[in-house]
Amino acid sequence: MGWKEIYTNWKQSPTLDADVKADLEALGDDEAALEDAFYQAIDFGTAGMRGLMGAGINRMNIYTVRLATEGLARLMEAYGQEAMDRGVAIAYDGRHHSLEFALESAKVLGKHGIPTYVFEGVRPTPELSFAVRELKTYTGIMITASHNTKEYNGYKVYGEDGGQMTPEDASALTNHIKDVDPLTIEVEDLSQLKASGLYHAIGKDVDDKYLAQVKEVTIDEDIIKEMKDDVTIVYTPLQGTGQLLAEQAFDQAGFNQVVYIDEQREPNADFSTLKSPNPEEASAFEYAMKYGKEHDADVLIATDPDADRMGAGVKMPDGEYRILTGNQIGALLTQYILTARKGTNDLPENGVIVKSIVSSELPAVIAKHFNMGTVNTLTGFKFIAEQIKQYEQTGAHTFLFGFEESYGFLIKPFVRDKDAIQTAMLFAELAAYYKKQGKTPYDGLQEIFSAYGHYAEKTISVKLSGQEGAAKITEIMNNLRDNQPETIADVPVEAVEDYQAGVRHVKNGETETLNIEKANVLKYYLADQTWIAVRPSGTEPKIKFYIGTVAEDKAGAQAQLAKYEAFVMKFAN
């Protein structure tokens, strides 16, 4: 069926939701906009789906949410009555339509006789992961678009281990609904679900259990007790979900000098104080920097709208604040975790950190210094969660820390996704550790560079929207595979890893099999220890280029980055 026919069916539907109908009418006769909204079903990948809100099968609306949930319900039915009886935990952020999408999910599941456990108010993504494990539900649904701008929303599904849905289950879910018209999916009345006991509201009971686990993230309580009145922290949830849990977590950890940003404490679907609610961007720290200077804060901490990613700013010698990269935060946390656990005689012989293949190599070098291992996974925290599950089953390793360069970190595996609440607590402890020595986390980072080399990384995201953008991304990846360079910026390419083919090509023409799941990623290793990776984003219409390099000093590393960025941008234009 072509997009025009699908559009006509929606336009002529007598039962079309009023809000969706208004969105459809707002598109008018703009054929390009209509085609983009209807030319394909919104992609449901292993991270769920995320997209612009509005009318159409390629948008986030109650019908696409119902469709995804219908697939989940049918998947659970295929797994049997035990799976259905255990039910589904559901959480949502403060975006437009998030509560509505959460309730629509519950109404679809209820129609299949599947119980739901829905948070009574907005909650972070990591707490949803925790709730699945704590309540022993079979799956979980998180309604969020993470750090995207206000026009977006999303839908993520979690497995019974609290990790994001496996690729196999995601594929099975989509197969269950490949021929289903989203306009025809039946839902149960919410009042009926409550009366029949298929809808359960959850809140403080789960909060308290989650916070009890967060308390265990602290490694050295004595440092916090000694420095609790001396280290000053500015925290902002960026008008998202983090304030409730972060504030309680700071209190129970013992930090007495935490400053909260009045203008950003409460969830706001329009993110009215922000250009972008993304802690990867320095602009997100505008208010935090202002409060930091007013209160002479040691560190600034920001969690993104669903509080799974954490960014941080550190005080510089001149009193200004520098926003750290995700890789720099990862290096600081790795150094601190291993140093502190060694100091408390709690460093296991088989300990490992787990990171994504596009993240910095510096934490791996630090881990090696402590005789700890490093395991690399594909991008996506579900792959880190899979490693943790494997270690629990085999005992082969003890998980110490997981991270991705995109500001995702996990300290303790009672959550199986990145967790900014945990990370904020440990970063505050890290700040206390350095302040006790008369230093700042920035000083600590310079010490790391002095000891291991000056590592520098850069991520370049190129937005390519719509059908033309998707075709351009495919063309770039195909061209790179068909024309593998022997040199990049006049530096020899020593090896190329093609994760889609599952093969590593080395300079002498030999190939090796990659023992990792397949994905559309290419990674180049150069003779000067630089690496470059390229991959389409799994959640946004972007292609991403990653560069990692090392030099003797900052100037050398920055010069390396600039040289390779110029090469990368040739492919992006």
Side-chain angles (χ1 to χ4, degrees):
M1 186 183 298
W3 73 263
K4 290 184 178 180
E5 188 176 353
I6 299 172
Y7 159 65
T8 301
N9 288 345
W10 280 54
K11 186 177 181 180
Q12 295 179 350
S13 172
T15 60
L16 194 69
D17 174 79
D19 287 340
V20 176
K21 185 175 182 179
D23 288 335
L24 191 61
E25 290 174 348
L27 295 176
D29 297 323
D30 186 338
E31 185 156 319
L34 290 169
E35 181 178 8
D36 192 54
F38 285 94
Y39 84 95
Q40 67 172 7
I42 188 169
D43 181 50
F44 192 99
T46 54
M49 58 186 183
R50 188 185 304 181
L52 293 166
M53 289 178 279
I57 62 173
N58 193 30
R59 296 287 184 267
M60 289 293 302
N61 52 63
I62 65 168
Y63 299 107
T64 52
V65 167
R66 287 176 181 177
L67 185 64
T69 311
E70 178 71 15
L72 179 61
R74 294 185 185 190
L75 178 65
M76 293 176 70
E77 287 175 339
Y79 279 123
Q81 193 62 44
E82 188 261 346
M84 297 174 63
D85 290 343
R86 286 168 60 184
V88 181
I90 302 176
Y92 53 95
D93 67 12
R95 290 174 179 273
H96 293 294
H97 300 294
S98 284
L99 173 58
E100 180 184 15
F101 292 167
L103 295 179
E104 289 296 323
S105 300
K107 288 154 67 176
V108 171
L109 292 163
K111 192 69 175 178
H112 288 261
I114 298 172
T116 54
Y117 302 82
V118 184
F119 276 96
E120 62 191 4
V122 299
R123 290 299 192 281
T125 291
E127 189 176 11
L128 183 277
S129 172
F130 173 78
V132 170
R133 296 172 58 80
E134 176 64 27
L135 301 176
K136 295 180 171 56
T137 60
Y138 197 74
T139 63
I141 297 171
M142 182 71 205
I143 305 295
T144 182
S146 190
H147 57 284
N148 285 73
T149 51
K150 65 181 182 179
E151 300 85 5
Y152 286 81
N153 214 323
Y155 177 109
K156 295 198 290 188
V157 182
Y158 287 76
E160 60 183 327
D161 69 333
Q164 291 182 33
M165 174 175 275
T166 66
E168 294 77 18
D169 278 344
S171 177
L173 184 156
T174 56
N175 283 336
H176 279 298
I177 53 174
K178 61 183 178 181
D179 297 319
V180 177
D181 181 352
L183 299 181
T184 65
I185 294 170
E186 297 182 358
V187 298
E188 186 59 87
D189 181 75
L190 192 60
S191 61
Q192 179 60 36
L193 291 179
K194 293 178 179 179
S196 64
L198 286 174
Y199 180 98
H200 307 267
I202 58 174
K204 187 178 184 303
D205 51 343
V206 179
D207 295 343
D208 290 346
K209 291 176 180 177
Y210 170 82
L211 287 166
Q213 292 293 319
V214 171
K215 193 171 185 178
E216 301 302 313
V217 169
T218 296
I219 301 175
D220 191 337
E221 293 182 0
D222 291 340
I223 287 178
I224 298 176
K225 288 177 182 177
E226 183 176 347
M227 304 302 295
K228 63 183 180 181
D229 295 318
D230 297 309
V231 61
T232 301
I233 302 150
V234 169
Y235 169 75
T236 173
L238 299 180
Q239 298 185 287
T241 63
Q243 185 73 34
L244 174 69
L245 293 181
E247 192 165 346
Q248 294 180 73
F250 279 123
D251 286 346
Q252 74 175 10
F255 293 101
N256 289 341
Q257 301 299 321
V258 184
V259 179
Y260 300 109
I261 297 177
D262 293 335
E263 298 92 333
Q264 295 180 335
R265 290 171 71 113
E266 299 299 322
N268 183 310
D270 291 320
F271 303 112
S272 56
T273 65
L274 297 154
K275 294 177 183 177
S276 171
N278 186 351
E280 298 182 49
E281 299 178 15
S283 65
F285 284 83
E286 178 185 355
Y287 280 75
M289 287 182 181
K290 176 176 174 253
Y291 273 66
K293 290 181 179 180
E294 290 174 358
H295 295 271
D296 192 27
D298 298 288
V299 293
L300 318 175
I301 293 176
T303 57
D304 74 342
D306 67 325
D308 64 346
R309 301 171 191 247
M310 188 209 79
V314 295
K315 187 189 288 184
M316 302 290 287
D318 62 1
E320 297 296 320
Y321 292 94
R322 172 175 292 181
I323 308 308
L324 299 177
T325 70
N327 284 312
Q328 290 170 344
I329 295 171
L332 278 165
L333 290 172
T334 300
Q335 178 75 16
Y336 180 70
I337 290 168
L338 299 183
T339 299
R341 290 190 65 163
K342 184 177 181 180
T344 58
N345 295 313
D346 188 32
L347 203 55
E349 292 184 0
N350 65 346
V352 294
I353 66 166
V354 187
K355 69 179 189 67
S356 70
I357 59 174
V358 296
S359 297
S360 173
E361 289 301 311
L362 179 53
V365 174
I366 295 170
K368 185 177 181 181
H369 175 76
F370 285 85
N371 295 316
M372 297 291 106
T374 300
V375 172
N376 290 301
T377 71
L378 296 176
T379 301
F381 230 86
K382 60 184 170 291
F383 298 111
I384 294 176
E386 287 176 3
Q387 291 295 321
I388 297 171
K389 184 177 181 180
Q390 179 183 325
Y391 301 154
E392 287 183 343
Q393 293 171 343
T394 66
H397 296 291
T398 299
F399 174 80
L400 297 174
F401 178 52
F403 90 99
E404 293 185 322
E405 51 75 38
S406 54
Y407 293 73
F409 313 96
L410 179 64
I411 321 300
K412 292 283 188 178
F414 60 86
V415 165
R416 295 299 165 88
D417 204 350
K418 44 194 179 289
D419 187 341
I421 306 299
Q422 285 192 44
T423 311
M425 296 310 107
L426 193 65
F427 198 83
E429 181 182 337
L430 179 153
Y433 166 79
Y434 283 112
K435 186 150 193 181
K436 182 181 177 181
Q437 302 173 56
K439 301 174 182 176
T440 68
Y442 175 78
D443 295 325
L445 186 62
Q446 302 318 301
E447 291 175 352
I448 290 172
F449 289 150
S450 294
Y452 304 108
H454 200 104
Y455 284 74
E457 298 82 23
K458 186 161 189 176
T459 301
I460 302 163
S461 296
V462 180
K463 189 171 184 179
L464 297 165
S465 301
Q467 278 183 286
E468 290 185 7
K472 176 67 173 176
I473 290 171
T474 299
E475 179 186 347
I476 292 170
M477 296 303 295
N478 288 342
N479 284 340
L480 286 169
R481 285 194 169 90
D482 294 340
N483 303 284
Q484 289 189 8
E486 294 185 1
T487 63
I488 294 178
D490 297 324
V491 178
V493 176
E494 298 288 333
V496 181
E497 292 176 345
D498 185 340
Y499 289 86
Q500 185 165 278
V503 171
R504 174 183 171 91
H505 302 274
V506 293
K507 191 174 181 180
N508 61 9
E510 296 181 0
T511 60
E512 304 166 2
T513 300
L514 293 173
N515 187 25
I516 194 169
E517 294 189 52
K518 293 185 178 181
N520 190 12
V521 184
L522 290 166
K523 188 172 184 180
Y524 303 89
Y525 295 85
L526 309 187
D528 62 359
Q529 298 186 66
T530 297
W531 58 266
I532 298 174
V534 55
R535 58 178 282 269
S537 171
T539 56
E540 301 171 278
K542 294 178 178 179
I543 186 166
K544 292 188 172 185
F545 299 87
Y546 305 81
I547 306 169
T549 192
V550 60
E552 292 184 0
D553 54 27
K554 180 180 178 181
Q558 292 301 317
Q560 291 281 80
L561 285 183
K563 176 175 69 173
Y564 291 115
E565 181 178 1
F567 170 83
V568 161
M569 293 310 295
K570 294 177 183 177
F571 290 93
N573 295 323

